[in-house]
Amino acid sequence: MVHTLRAERVTTGTPRKVVLRVRFEGMDPLEPPYPRLLVDRYEPAFRFYETVLPTLAGCTLARGNPSSGYASWDAADGRTALALFTRSAMVSALGEDRVPRGGSLVIHVASREALDAAVSLCAQAGGTVVAGARDLPEWGPGLRAAHLHDPDGNLVELQTY
């Protein structure tokens, strides 16, 4: 199959601005990117997200298990929402100096009460509360958030507006 690059000028917004939209004809649109956490402690991280994601975000385990070294959870629309991968496997592929540590994940919940319940669920699942639920108007009007570390030390932000 031959793919053709097509560019077009598009005028949008107020004030009016011209942008260049580029796409390959003959290719289906790509899915949006998703976060993949590279973890050193895979099994506890797997168990944490297997407990937290279905309850807080409606995600289902699509691939992997507690000992597989790779797992992913899908959103209700079938798209990947989060993947876990052992950092050691990536280091084997790229080398120690090319593989960063950690990552972060934001989970939006419906209300202040749901935020408090989410913090409790995450702590019970092995997360460590870094900063409890608090208002952060400087980050966004009406934003309330809590921050935790998953069992591997990755930052998890629980938020509501």
Side-chain angles (χ1 to χ4, degrees), residues 28-36 63 70 72-83:
D28 293 330
L30 298 174
E31 288 190 10
Y34 60 88
R36 177 176 59 199
R63 288 167 284 291
Y70 178 86
S72 65
W73 287 263
D74 287 353
D77 65 2
R79 293 182 178 178
T80 302
L82 175 72

Side-chain angles (χ1 to χ4, degrees), residues 100-113:
R101 294 203 176 270
S104 65
L105 179 69
V106 175
I107 300 174
H108 185 79
V109 296
S111 66
R112 289 174 170 257
E113 294 78 20

Side-chain angles (χ1 to χ4, degrees), residues 83-149:
L84 291 180
F85 190 44
T86 59
R87 186 173 185 282
S88 62
M90 189 66 78
V91 167
S92 293
L94 302 178
E96 179 73 37
D97 60 330
R98 295 185 177 172
V99 180
R101 294 203 176 270
S104 65
L105 179 69
V106 175
I107 300 174
H108 185 79
V109 296
S111 66
R112 289 174 170 257
E113 294 78 20
L115 178 63
D116 293 337
V119 170
S120 178
L121 175 68
C122 288
Q124 291 170 6
T128 303
V129 177
V130 175
R134 70 232 181 266
D135 295 323
L136 295 169
E138 64 276 17
W139 286 14
L143 177 65
R144 185 169 178 81
H147 291 87
L148 302 99
H149 284 151

